[in-house]
């Protein structure tokens, strides 16, 4: 027996030693059949070293084997945390995957594993989440959500953190998520039934915030807070919010009486009219007749013509009799007419959700005969609160942003199939206003904005819209008493109303582009068909659209296609390829393809379009690096051009470059060239373009290194300064978008002046007006004008800072006067040139035009469209800056 045990013990030691050697070569990613975690592979610096303390490991393995041989139910019990740490270290710290230990866990007398701490979410955080997500789910009843939140709040009203968090969140939710204002107000109304202190504190805080916005002239935020108070108007004694609306209207009358061109009065009337429907949707306020009387007063201001309305019309007349795709009326006038229509239907206001209804608990009663019954009690009136006093200043602060009249732009309104509310319905203005505010407020999170747009049917009264993603063809089969408004059409319409906002949208256009892109990603089946109809509508009217909006459409179209593999049904526009290059639709196609190439490369774009479009993308666009023209010996000054290129590449001293330039001057003088700086500038700038052709950063670096010589060209020769632009455009003639970008950077470096750019684009290279049809020419001119006008606004912002010394104010005033005169001279050159084209009185058109009469009409049309854009820009700047600036 002892001999058997000795042999067994020897075998155990031998097997254990082999097991340890095998285990030292395995990793955790090895064989998963091992009943304990595998060893981590050794680091490189430990390769070749002997394993440490192998004898101890062997002894431990031997002891385990003997204990398991004695009883299969063995599992070690550890007495202290140090022992647990030792086990963790021995097993790789991964106890959860030790299958052998789990196998015998059920036989333990008790489990000593540490329990995970239970985490209970604080009540304030829980209610905050509920309030933030109210009305977002179509599967939940928002009324019940409001009741539950109000009950949780009132039941735990003694919690200071809960109260303060709720009060702050109500204001933030009102200002950041306008679609939820009626739902947030409902929570406060239900809380007022049990705890009037809640509503009182909310009203106090909202009133203080609204007063600060009123004094600062922040009109959108004031409008939203007044809307919130209007949804709770039943809480107030007397007329409540209506008294504030009357005071605001009186101030608007004063402003309009002082100046018919005033835009602040129109903004005040807008706040009044957009608050009125929510006020009248509150039951039992008895303000219907007063509202009718107020509308009679506002009609006088609303119907008065404003001097800037024609400048912000998306479809200007341009001296033609063409029918507009849509009569874009004043948004304020439409709102006035819609409210008057609602007054004739007893203020139905069907789209606004009604969420508050006071319900009292049932009371058990006992009759004389001893029978009991349950009946509802007489409804007790909800606690009333005093309406806060707003101090409307006699002198209204115009606010930080310039104000302009608004027109109602829509892609789908007033068509045969009503996929959006008609312009005669109040829902058209209310839904548009809430969506536009949501879009412009949440510019910091395009994903959240897109989600709100997709879910707009959750935030309005039931049965206001059709089911999401309903096909357009099926809307014709919808019964007459059922809605046909598509929520995705309304969302797309709202975004495009901002892209096509004149004179300028609130945010950069790329933000609105990104909202459409994110919406397509969230709900492609719903949004994509709506976008397709929008693109077709805009393309049909691109020839009568305001020119600036036509180019905004082009930019969005190219950008949007780049996010979706450049897919579009180009076959629909094949017949437009046969038109003249001067036709706006043909020009749009050419410009869109050029912008697509900027966002990708020529070969890929060529593969996405039908073969009929291929001539619009010549082979020259396939070259990433255009040819260096001085490499051809037949080019004048070719040897000098190649020498300048070599010197710039090796960053030779300026004196060496000057010697080559002097040689060009001598040759040019011998050939009778009047301005010898022109050929030398051409060679120098072309070499810079060739060196920097790899990327924009390369060309910027090259310009930076040679900035001193470039800056010296302008004062020495006006013609040489224009030659800088010519050289850049000639080198990048197949990809003019890159050339425009480089010209823009040269403007930033002050190598060229804005006046030089304007003269080069629309005076020297006008070509009888044909260049006005080129998209890159418009881009170059508009970018240059923006730089000039933006500089003036920056000077004004700097001058209006508080606490500036008198010397600095005087210096800024002098600079402003000088810059304003330069701006007016720039616009005068643009106006003079474009007027000649628009009237056909341009000298070049009279002397050398040999085209057809139809072509002459198209050229004049381009002149009129350009002229309308830049006259509007000048009018806007004069309105913002003014003579008193």
């Amino acid at each position: 027996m002892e001999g058997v045990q000795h042999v067994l013990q020897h075998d155990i030691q031998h097997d254990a030693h082999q097991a340890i050697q095998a285990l030292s070569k395995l990793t955790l990613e090895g064989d998963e059949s091992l009943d304990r975690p595998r060893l981590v592979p050794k680091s490189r610096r430990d390769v070749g070293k002997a394993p440490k303390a192998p004898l101890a490991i062997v002894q431990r393995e031997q002891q385990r084997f003997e204990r398991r041989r004695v009883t299969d139910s063995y599992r070690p019990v550890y007495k202290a945390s140090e022992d647990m740490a030792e086990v963790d270290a021995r097993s790789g710290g991964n106890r959860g995957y030790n299958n052998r230990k789990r196998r015998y866990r059920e036989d333990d007398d008790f489990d000593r594993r540490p329990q995970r701490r239970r985490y209970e979410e604080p009540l304030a955080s829980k209610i905050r989440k509920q309030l933030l997500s109210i009305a977002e789910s179509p599967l939940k009843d928002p009324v019940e959500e409001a009741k539950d939140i109000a009950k949780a709040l009132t039941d735990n009203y003694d919690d200071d953190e809960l109260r303060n968090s709720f009060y702050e969140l109500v204001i933030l939710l009102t200002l950041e998520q306008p679609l939820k204002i009626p739902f947030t107000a409902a929570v406060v109304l239900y809380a007022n039934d049990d705890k009037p202190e809640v509503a009182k504190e909310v009203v106090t805080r909202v009133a203080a915030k609204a007063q600060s916005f009123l004094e600062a002239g922040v009109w959108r935020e004031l409008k939203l807070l007044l809307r919130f108070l209007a949804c709770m108007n039943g809480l107030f004694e007397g007329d409540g919010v209506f008294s504030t609306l009357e005071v605001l209207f009186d101030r608007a009358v004063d402003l309009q009486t002082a100046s018919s061109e005033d835009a602040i009065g129109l903004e005040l009337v807008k706040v009044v009219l957009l608050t009125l429907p929510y006020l009248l949707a509150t039951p039992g306020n008895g303000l219907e007749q007063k509202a009718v009387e107020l509308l009679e007063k506002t009609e006088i201001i609303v119907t008065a013509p404003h001097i800037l309305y024609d400048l912000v019309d998306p479809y200007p007349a341009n001296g033609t009799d063409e029918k507009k795709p849509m009569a874009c009326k004043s948004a304020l006038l439409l709102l006035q007419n819609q409210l008057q229509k609602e007054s004739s239907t007893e203020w139905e206001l069907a789209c606004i959700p009604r969420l508050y209804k006071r319900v009292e608990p049932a009371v058990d009663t006992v009759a004389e005969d001893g029978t009991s019954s349950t009946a509802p009690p007489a409804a007790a009136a909800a606690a009333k609160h005093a309406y806060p006093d707003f101090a409307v200043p006699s002198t209204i602060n115009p606010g930080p942003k310039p104000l302009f009249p608004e027109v109602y732009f829509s892609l789908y309104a007033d068509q045969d199939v009503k996929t959006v509310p008609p312009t005669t319905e109040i829902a058209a203005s209310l839904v548009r206003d809430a969506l536009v505010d949501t879009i412009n407020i949440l510019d910091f999170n395009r994903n959240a904005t897109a989600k709100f747009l997709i879910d707009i049917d959750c935030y309005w009264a039931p049965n206001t819209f059709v089911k999401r993603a309903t096909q357009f063809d099926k809307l014709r089969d919808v019964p007459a008493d059922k809605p046909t408004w598509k929520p995705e059409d309304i969302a797309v319409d709202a975004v495009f109303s901002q892209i096509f906002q004149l004179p300028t949208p609130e945010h950069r256009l790329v933000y609105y582009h990104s909202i459409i892109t994110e919406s397509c990603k969230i709900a492609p089946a719903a949004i994509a068909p709506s976008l397709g109809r929008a693109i077709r509508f805009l393309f049909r009217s691109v020839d009568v659209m305001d020119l600036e909006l036509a180019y905004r459409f082009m930019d969005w179209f190219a950008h949007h296609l780049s996010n979706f593999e450049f897919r579009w049904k180009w076959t629909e526009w094949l017949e437009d390829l046969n038109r003249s290059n001067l036709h706006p639709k043909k020009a749009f196609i050419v410009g869109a393809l050029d912008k697509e190439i900027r966002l990708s490369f020529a070969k890929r774009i060529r593969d996405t379009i039908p073969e009929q479009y291929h001539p619009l993308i010549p082979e020259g666009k396939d070259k990433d690096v255009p040819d260096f023209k001085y490499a051809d010996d037949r080019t004048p000054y070719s040897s000098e051009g190649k020498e300048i290129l070599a010197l710039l590449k090796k960053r030779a001293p300026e004196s060496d470059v000057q010697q080559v330039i002097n040689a060009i001057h001598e040759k040019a003088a011998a050939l009778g060239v009047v301005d010898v700086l022109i050929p030398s500038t051409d060679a120098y700038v072309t070499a810079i373009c060739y060196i920097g052709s790899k990327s924009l950063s390369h060309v910027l670096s090259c310009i930076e290194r040679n900035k001193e010589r470039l800056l010296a060209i302008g004062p020495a020769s006006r013609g040489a300064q224009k030659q800088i632009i010519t050289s850049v455009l000639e080198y990048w003639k197949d990809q003019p978008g890159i050339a425009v970008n480089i010209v823009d950077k040269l403007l930033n470096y002050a190598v060229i002046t804005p006046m030089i750019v304007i003269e080069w684009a629309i005076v020297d290279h006008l070509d009888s007006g044909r260049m006005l049809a080129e998209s890159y020419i418009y881009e170059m001119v508009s970018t240059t004008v923006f730089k000039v006008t933006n500089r003036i606004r920056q000077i004004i912002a700097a001058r209006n800072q508080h606490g500036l010394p008198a010397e600095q104010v005087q210096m800024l005033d002098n600079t402003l006067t000088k810059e304003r005169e330069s701006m007016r001279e720039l616009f005068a050159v643009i106006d003079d040139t474009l007027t000649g084209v628009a009237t056909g009185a341009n000298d070049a058109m009279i002397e050398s035009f040999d085209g057809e009469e139809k072509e002459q009409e198209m050229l004049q049309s381009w002149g009129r469209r350009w002229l309308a854009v830049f006259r509007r820009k000048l009018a806007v700047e004069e309105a913002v800056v003014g003579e008193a600036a």
Side-chain angles (χ1 to χ4, degrees), residues 688 691-703 705:
I688 290 177
I691 295 173
S693 58
K694 292 182 179 180
S695 67
L696 182 61
S697 60
H698 280 76
V699 72
L700 291 180
S701 176
C702 197
I703 292 172
R705 289 197 305 268

Side-chain angles (χ1 to χ4, degrees), residues 403-425:
L403 301 174
F404 299 96
E406 296 181 15
V407 297
Y408 188 88
F409 178 86
S410 176
L411 303 173
Y412 312 105
D414 300 333
Q415 298 183 7
D416 295 338
V417 179
K418 296 178 175 57
T419 62
V420 299
T423 54
T424 57
E425 298 289 338

Side-chain angles (χ1 to χ4, degrees), residues 203-331:
V203 170
T204 301
R205 296 195 181 200
V206 170
K209 200 75 173 176
Q211 182 68 48
S212 65
F213 289 143
L214 177 59
E215 294 172 356
V218 186
W219 305 116
R220 178 174 62 202
E221 283 71 12
L222 174 65
K223 175 189 67 178
L224 296 177
L225 291 180
L226 288 179
R227 181 181 305 171
F228 176 73
L229 294 176
C231 291
M232 302 189 302
N233 201 61
L235 294 178
F236 303 125
E237 301 169 352
D239 293 342
V241 179
F242 193 84
S243 59
T244 301
L245 301 185
E246 288 183 317
V247 177
L248 291 177
F249 173 73
D250 291 340
R251 293 292 183 273
V253 172
D254 296 339
L255 292 170
Q256 290 298 110
T257 302
S259 173
S260 60
E261 299 179 4
D262 180 78
I264 304 175
L266 296 178
E267 192 70 16
L268 291 177
V269 173
K270 175 185 172 182
V271 172
V272 171
L273 295 182
L274 285 172
T275 306
L276 201 57
Y278 295 93
L279 180 64
L280 296 173
T282 305
N285 51 37
L287 297 173
E288 290 79 6
Q289 184 57 38
K290 290 186 177 181
V292 173
E293 296 173 358
L294 180 60
L295 287 177
E296 293 176 356
K297 299 176 183 178
T298 58
E299 186 176 9
I300 300 174
I301 295 179
V302 169
T303 55
H306 196 281
I307 189 174
L308 293 178
Y309 268 127
D310 292 337
L311 297 178
V312 296
D313 189 351
Y315 302 107
N318 286 333
T320 63
D321 298 329
E322 296 185 33
K323 184 180 179 181
K324 296 183 179 182
M326 177 187 176
C328 297
K329 298 181 179 179
S330 163

Side-chain angles (χ1 to χ4, degrees), residues 493-506:
D493 216 20
V495 179
F496 272 102
S497 73
Q498 297 307 289
I499 294 177
F500 287 76
Q501 178 74 39
L502 288 174
T504 55
E506 183 170 341

